[in-house]
């Protein structure tokens, strides 16, 4: 269990050390934040830092660090390294960057930030990309809980309408509409900190249960233990998703950026919530590795359990590590957590569209114009195959993270700050995203012999384009200053 404990210590240390380095590079100060300056009582509302941290954690986490970590653990305990290093060097930097930039630009959504720093074409791509991703997230996090609720009621003697998945899906979508529509401090500000605490309690309970129930967490093995011999690169890096870095977070950070009283809250609210999510992911990856026996050195037990459904696997682990209390927490986790991430996904989609078409959101009527079509789109997408939606979400999720990191890199360059903290993870995620697109079964499904070189070359091309753009920018301003001086 030494590997697990070391990774846990590195994660916590990363918050205090590397997180402070990132904060020092961005340089938060005492200027008025959008929450104070704009304060419209709907989306721009000042809330306490501890509340912002818990809401941000719940918004970005949901079941992401649980499902993603368990999926990643199929490749073995090497997933510990990606969760730990990915969280500190990529995920935390990504979330901090978008949250901080949003505060510096009146609470702008990630698509608007992309437009400012990467140009109009990328802004349009990012607008479409982020809205589609958010509607997919909201839908995925509605269909899963709806099916589970109907199944549980049926298993406990229920019948009729209460066992109909579409009935519960309709109820969840109605709740989404209410939570997306009303001011952020009415439901989200009051209830979500409680659910955030539950998410943490569930992870701590599982961690304690691993030790008290006699399970042993294997040490890190740099080998592919997936029963299907699915390649680690890039499949594991995409599967873990929210447990290390997630583009979905780029759509959520502006929500809290509109509620921060001071820029100096960024370290705890954005970087801190991501580190906390990394800790949760590490615990669940450890649980998946410890609870299920290996066959022939491969993670057959975990893979077979996941084949029965992600929720079933979570329920089983909670029961084995925490008993009766675990069942209650598991039900709360696999039902409440995804719903509370789904509604903020739709809320973010509303804000992206509002920014896009310059639709003021203080008026109820204007919010209705956006909310109704969004929820209708979600209802239509919910009829598609759940597994397919999830796989496309995973890839688009990491691609959005890649674009957000390149946006942050240009921001840092233009502000004469150390851009390497974002350029390195941006290049890495470019390789991950492009390679996955070329070799994943749901995408082009080419051989790794073709996909690997293409992914590497694409990452180097993106890096070259960034340095080309910065060189042009530098040359332009050099001539501008010379002209101005003359």
């Amino acid at each position: 269990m030494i590997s697990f404990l070391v990774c846990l210590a590195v994660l916590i240390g990363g918050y205090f050390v590397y997180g402070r380095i990132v904060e020092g590079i961005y340089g938060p100060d005492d200027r008025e934040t959008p929450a104070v300056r704009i304060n419209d009582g709907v989306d721009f509302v000042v809330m306490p830092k501890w509340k912002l941290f818990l809401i941000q954690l719940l918004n970005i986490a949901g079941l992401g660090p649980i499902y993603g970590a368990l999926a990643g653990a199929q490749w073995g305990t090497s997933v510990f390294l990606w969760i730990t290093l990915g969280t500190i060097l990529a995920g935390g930097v990504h979330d901090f960057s978008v949250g901080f930039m949003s505060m510096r630009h009146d609470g702008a959504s990630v698509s608007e930030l992309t437009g400012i720093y990467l140009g109009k074409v990328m802004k349009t791509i990012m607008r479409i990309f982020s809205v589609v991703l958010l509607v997919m997230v909201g839908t995925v996090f509605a269909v899963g809980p709806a099916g589970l609720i109907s199944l549980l009621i049926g298993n406990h003697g229920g019948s009729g309408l209460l066992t109909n998945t579409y009935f519960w899906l309709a109820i969840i979508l109605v709740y989404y509409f209410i939570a997306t529509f009303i001011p952020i401090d009415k439901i989200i500000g009051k209830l979500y900190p409680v659910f955030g605490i539950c998410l943490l309690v569930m992870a701590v309970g599982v961690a304690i249960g691993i030790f008290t129930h006699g399970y042993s967490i294997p040490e890190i093995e740099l080998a592919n233990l997936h029963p299907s011999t699915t390649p680690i690169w890039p499949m594991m890096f995409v599967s873990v998703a929210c447990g290390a870095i997630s583009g979905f977070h780029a759509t959520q950070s502006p929500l809290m950026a509109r509620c921060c009283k001071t820029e100096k809250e960024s370290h705890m609210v954005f970087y801190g919530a991501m580190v906390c999510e990394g800790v949760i992911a590490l615990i669940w990856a450890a649980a998946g590795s410890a609870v299920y026996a290996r066959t022939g050195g491969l993670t057959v037990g975990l893979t077979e359990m996941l084949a029965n459904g992600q929720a079933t696997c979570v329920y089983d682990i909670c029961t084995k590590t925490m008993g009766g209390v675990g069942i209650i927490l598991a039900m709360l986790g696999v039902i409440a957590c995804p719903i509370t991430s789904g509604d903020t996904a739709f809320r973010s989609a509303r804000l992206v569209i509002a920014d896009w078409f310059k639709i003021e959101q203080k008026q109820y009527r204007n919010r209705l114009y956006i909310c109704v079509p969004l929820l209708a789109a979600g209802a239509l997408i919910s009829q598609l195959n759940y597994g397919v939606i999830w796989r496309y979400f995973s890839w688009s999720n990491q691609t959005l993270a890649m674009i957000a990191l390149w946006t942050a890199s240009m921001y840092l360059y233009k502000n004469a700050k150390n851009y390497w903290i974002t350029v390195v993870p941006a290049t890495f995620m470019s390789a991950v995203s492009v390679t996955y697109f070329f070799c994943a079964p749901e995408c082009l499904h080419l051989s790794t012999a073709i996909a690997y070189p293409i992914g590497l070359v694409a990452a180097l091309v993106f890096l070259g384009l960034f340095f080309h753009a910065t060189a042009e920018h530098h040359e332009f301003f050099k001539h501008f200053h010379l002209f101005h001086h003359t």
Side-chain angles (χ1 to χ4, degrees), residues 101-409:
M101 287 190 297
S102 182
M103 271 194 275
R104 284 287 169 99
H105 293 85
D106 293 334
S109 59
V110 66
S111 54
E112 303 308 302
L113 294 171
T114 302
I116 294 169
Y117 293 101
L118 297 184
K120 291 181 180 179
V121 173
M122 284 305 301
K123 176 165 70 172
T124 302
I125 292 172
M126 198 65 158
R127 280 169 169 171
I128 296 169
F129 208 80
S130 56
V131 170
V132 171
L133 172 67
L134 287 164
V135 173
M136 279 199 295
V137 170
T139 303
V140 164
F141 286 160
V143 174
L148 188 59
I149 293 171
S150 59
L151 179 66
L152 286 171
I153 292 175
N155 289 344
H156 288 80
S159 60
L161 190 63
L162 293 178
T163 59
N164 188 306
T165 299
Y166 291 108
F167 169 73
W168 290 107
L169 179 61
I171 288 178
I172 292 171
L173 289 175
V174 168
Y175 165 73
Y176 278 3
F177 173 77
I178 295 169
T180 303
F181 181 76
I182 67 173
I184 195 166
D185 59 336
K186 299 305 179 189
I187 292 179
I188 293 174
K190 287 182 169 61
L191 290 181
Y192 286 23
V194 177
F195 289 127
I197 292 170
C198 289
L199 190 66
L200 289 171
V201 169
M202 185 162 66
V204 172
V206 168
I208 294 172
I210 292 171
F211 292 97
T212 58
H213 286 73
Y215 295 109
S216 179
I217 303 171
E219 301 299 342
I220 292 175
E221 299 172 73
L222 298 179
N224 185 353
L225 305 184
H226 199 292
S228 302
T229 65
T230 305
I232 290 178
W233 175 269
M235 300 305 182
M236 184 190 76
F237 295 87
V238 172
S239 298
V240 172
C242 301
I245 180 172
S246 166
F248 173 61
H249 299 183
T251 67
Q252 299 303 291
S253 291
L255 289 181
M256 294 301 98
R258 299 178 183 211
C259 300
C260 288
K261 187 177 181 180
T262 169
E263 289 182 351
K264 293 176 181 177
E265 294 175 340
S266 301
H267 179 236
M268 177 177 171
V269 174
F270 302 117
Y271 197 96
M274 183 61 234
V275 168
C276 197
E277 181 170 14
V279 170
I280 293 170
L282 183 66
I283 290 171
W284 280 95
S289 301
V291 169
Y292 300 108
R294 295 180 182 180
T295 303
L298 302 178
T299 59
V300 175
L302 174 60
T303 301
E304 288 178 348
M305 181 55 69
L306 284 171
N308 296 324
Q310 295 168 318
T312 304
C313 186
V314 173
Y315 181 90
D316 186 59
I317 289 175
C318 285
T319 304
K320 288 178 176 176
T321 56
M322 293 184 284
V325 175
I327 294 173
I328 297 170
L329 285 172
M331 289 305 95
L332 183 65
V334 297
I335 293 172
C337 287
I339 291 173
T340 52
S341 286
D343 67 355
T344 51
F346 277 106
R347 188 180 192 92
S348 296
R350 169 173 70 80
L351 294 174
V352 170
I353 293 171
D355 287 347
W356 187 347
F357 295 102
K358 303 292 186 289
I359 304 172
E360 185 273 326
Q361 292 296 281
K362 197 168 185 178
Q363 299 291 328
Y364 284 104
R365 182 178 65 251
N366 290 348
R367 278 177 266 158
L368 277 173
Y369 288 154
I370 303 175
C371 287
V372 173
L374 274 178
L375 270 297
L380 289 172
I381 292 175
S382 68
Q383 306 308 305
L384 301 176
N385 182 279
Y386 179 88
V388 173
I389 298 173
W390 181 267
R391 287 196 298 273
Y392 278 113
F393 155 67
S394 297
W395 171 75
S396 58
N397 188 31
Q398 301 306 69
T399 304
L400 197 148
M402 171 194 81
I403 298 171
L405 283 168
W406 284 122
T407 301
S409 299

